[in-house]
Structure formats: structure tokens, C-alpha cells
Amino acid sequence: MNLTDVQDGVEYIIKNIVTEDEEMDAFLFSLGCYSGEPITVIRRVKGGCVVSIKDGRYTIDNLLAEAIEV
């Protein structure tokens, strides 16, 4: 399942990043978003969600959220 399907406030482990876009993959990696890392959806916002990765909180759109499998 991807981040659009998860429950808010629950920590999940990233299993895979599914994208053919190298820029998107590099952007997610720069946030610390890669296989084996914990991620939590803090809340949903219009067109995306706020996630917690490592020590940071980021707002990502639904396209990025769909690329992150947990």
C-alpha cells in the first residue's frame, strides 16, 4: 500500500519508492525518504499530506504520496 492508503498518526516503514522520474526519486531521497526508514502521515491536507520523516515534517502532494510504498 502507499501513503494515500495509510492511517494518520501511525508509523510505517518505507518498503519501496515506485517512480520512473529520477528527479522525484532524488527529491524524496534528499528528504530522507528511502527503503527501511520510518514515516508517519501527520495529517491530510488538500491535495496531499503532511509527513514526518526522521526529524523533519514535510508537506507532499498526492503524486509523491502514491510513489511511497509502506
Side-chain angles (χ1 to χ4, degrees):
M1 85 181 134
N2 61 41
L3 284 188
T4 60
D5 303 324
V6 300
Q7 188 176 11
D8 293 3
V10 177
E11 184 175 273
Y12 294 89
I13 301 298
I14 299 170
K15 292 185 179 177
N16 197 16
I17 305 296
V18 182
T19 180
E20 298 294 323
D21 186 344
E22 290 184 26
E23 286 185 32
M24 183 188 298
D25 193 42
F27 174 72
L28 289 171
F29 188 81
S30 73
L31 298 180
C33 185
Y34 44 85
S35 296
E37 286 296 317
I39 188 168
T40 305
V41 174
I42 303 299
R43 71 175 184 265
R44 308 278 172 184
V45 294
K46 185 176 181 181
C49 57
V50 177
V51 296
S52 173
I53 306 169
K54 295 190 178 198
D55 293 331
R57 287 186 179 192
Y58 308 97
T59 301
I60 60 173
D61 64 16
N62 284 330
L63 185 63
L64 287 172
E66 289 171 1
I68 302 170
E69 289 185 345
V70 292

